[in-house]
Amino acid sequence: VTLALMNLSASAADSGSSALSVGARLHSQHSVFTELPYGDNDLSYMLAWEGHEEDGYWQVAVDYAPDVSGIPTTDYVITPQLNLIWNDGMFIGGIGGLQSYVSDNVTGGDWTDLYWQFTLGLRIPLGGLALAVQTYYTFDQWDELSDFEGKDLDYGASIGYVF
């Protein structure tokens, strides 16, 4: 009964609302999508706006990674992204498009090509706040999805103010 009430309150609270979220993402060194400069356990910080409807929400976000280890000459990475997230009670899942600016001490920096991510997780309402815990899989070629490996997953958490 408690879980059912939490699911109903999560859906009702999000319908037609917005949220501002802050969070962090733990990156992995990707075995297939090697153009990304992240090494294992690199951390990025996220700021996002979310526009909620009954069955999901749009998320416009930017990640900032001040210190990455995958490519030694990388200074920092800024990643704007647009995600479409569906929700079923507390369960969330979606897809997003991203493009990263990689600042490099040698080449000066450049934008990556557009790439994609799948995300799955939980979004737990906490009064006027919402806690999200998610897993991400990034990729740049749709035909390489069959090369998925569990070690390529990123993990993130965020807290949002719902208004």
Side-chain angles (χ1 to χ4, degrees):
V1 172
T2 302
L3 186 58
L5 290 174
M6 287 179 72
N7 284 338
L8 287 174
S9 68
S11 296
D14 287 344
S15 182
S17 63
S18 294
L20 288 176
S21 299
V22 295
R25 180 170 175 163
L26 188 65
H27 294 271
S28 64
Q29 187 163 355
H30 209 287
S31 64
V32 177
F33 185 18
T34 57
E35 291 80 17
L36 291 179
Y38 301 110
D40 287 335
N41 300 316
D42 286 346
L43 196 60
S44 65
Y45 306 96
M46 184 261 309
L47 177 64
W49 172 85
E50 300 168 356
H52 291 258
E53 293 298 330
E54 185 174 335
D55 293 328
Y57 56 95
W58 287 99
Q59 181 187 64
V60 179
V62 64
D63 271 13
Y64 172 68
D67 186 30
V68 295
S69 63
I71 299 174
T73 58
T74 301
D75 188 29
Y76 62 88
V77 181
I78 298 174
T79 306
Q81 54 189 283
L82 177 64
N83 299 294
L84 178 57
I85 310 291
W86 291 272
N87 64 285
D88 184 8
M90 293 189 313
F91 298 99
I92 57 175
I95 188 167
L98 305 87
Q99 192 170 23
S100 295
Y101 177 79
V102 181
S103 176
D104 189 282
N105 295 328
V106 176
T107 65
D110 200 7
W111 287 94
T112 65
D113 291 333
L114 181 67
Y115 61 100
W116 310 95
Q117 70 182 1
F118 287 126
T119 182
L120 290 172
L122 295 172
R123 187 169 187 276
I124 303 163
L126 302 169
L129 302 175
L131 172 67
V133 180
Q134 293 172 261
T135 301
Y136 303 91
Y137 180 70
T138 57
F139 61 98
D140 66 335
Q141 301 293 323
W142 288 89
D143 59 352
E144 293 178 349
L145 285 176
S146 61
D147 297 332
F148 170 82
E149 291 188 33
K151 67 180 183 175
D152 294 332
L153 295 173
D154 296 342
Y155 302 94
S158 63
I159 188 84
Y161 171 69
V162 181
F163 55 96

